[in-house]
């Protein structure tokens, strides 16, 4: 296989790992519509802030009073756990305080991609 062909294949593979700009815009819009009423990105509301949630342990933001169930869960928020959480929080962690469910897989995926790409603010986790 030529070096050019390998470079092209690597480029295509790498591009597939990063969501398209339209997907991120849709993710932001869905976040604001579905999540933003209870979750700020940088401040707690009814729920904890979510800017730095991706890749971190559940119930790890000291600014928020999490349920005992979520404190004990020891989850790390990645694509799979966030998808399961948004699908049915109670099925993933009993004794949690989130009553919201997001049944559409495409919406969950877009929101998760949006949360994943958010830059962490200076001084956050």
């Amino acid at each position: 296989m030529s070096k050019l062909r390998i470079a092209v294949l690597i480029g295509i593979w790498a591009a597939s790992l990063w969501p398209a700009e339209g997907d991120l815009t849709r993710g932001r819009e869905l976040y604001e519509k579905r999540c933003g009423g209870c979750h700020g990105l940088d401040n707690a509301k009814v729920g904890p802030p979510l800017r730095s949630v991706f890749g971190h342990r559940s119930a790890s933001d000291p600014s928020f009073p999490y349920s005992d169930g979520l404190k004990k869960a020891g989850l790390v928020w990645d694509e799979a756990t966030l998808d399961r959480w948004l699908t049915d929080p109670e099925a993933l962690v009993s004794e949690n305080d989130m009553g919201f469910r997001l049944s559409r897989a495409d919406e969950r995926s877009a929101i998760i991609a949006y949360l994943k790409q958010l830059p962490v603010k200076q001084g956050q986790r």
Side-chain angles (χ1 to χ4, degrees):
M1 192 177 291
S2 73
K3 289 181 182 179
L4 177 60
R5 180 176 275 181
I6 291 170
V8 168
L9 291 174
I10 290 172
I12 291 169
W13 172 78
S16 73
L17 297 177
W18 194 257
E21 183 62 35
D23 293 339
L24 294 178
T25 299
R26 181 168 183 262
R28 186 190 77 241
E29 290 169 354
L30 286 166
Y31 172 86
E32 290 169 358
K33 181 179 179 182
R34 303 276 193 231
C35 312
C38 294
H39 295 275
L41 287 177
D42 301 310
N43 60 310
K45 292 183 179 182
V46 174
L50 296 181
R51 175 179 298 277
S52 299
V53 71
F54 195 89
H56 288 93
R57 190 161 300 283
S58 59
S60 64
D61 187 322
S63 73
F64 191 78
Y66 296 94
S67 67
D68 289 338
L70 206 49
K71 288 178 189 176
K72 295 174 190 174
L75 302 170
V76 173
W77 297 120
D78 60 16
E79 287 100 342
T81 54
L82 284 167
D83 187 63
R84 289 175 58 207
W85 175 258
L86 292 171
T87 300
D88 185 357
E90 189 67 26
L92 184 60
V93 178
S94 61
E95 300 178 36
N96 76 77
D97 297 331
M98 185 161 140
F100 180 77
R101 293 180 181 191
L102 190 54
S103 61
R104 292 188 49 183
D106 63 314
E107 291 185 358
R108 291 191 310 270
S109 178
I111 290 168
I112 292 166
Y114 172 67
L115 291 173
K116 182 178 180 179
Q117 62 83 41
L118 288 172
V120 176
K121 284 188 138 186
Q122 193 70 16
Q124 283 188 327
R125 297 186 250 180

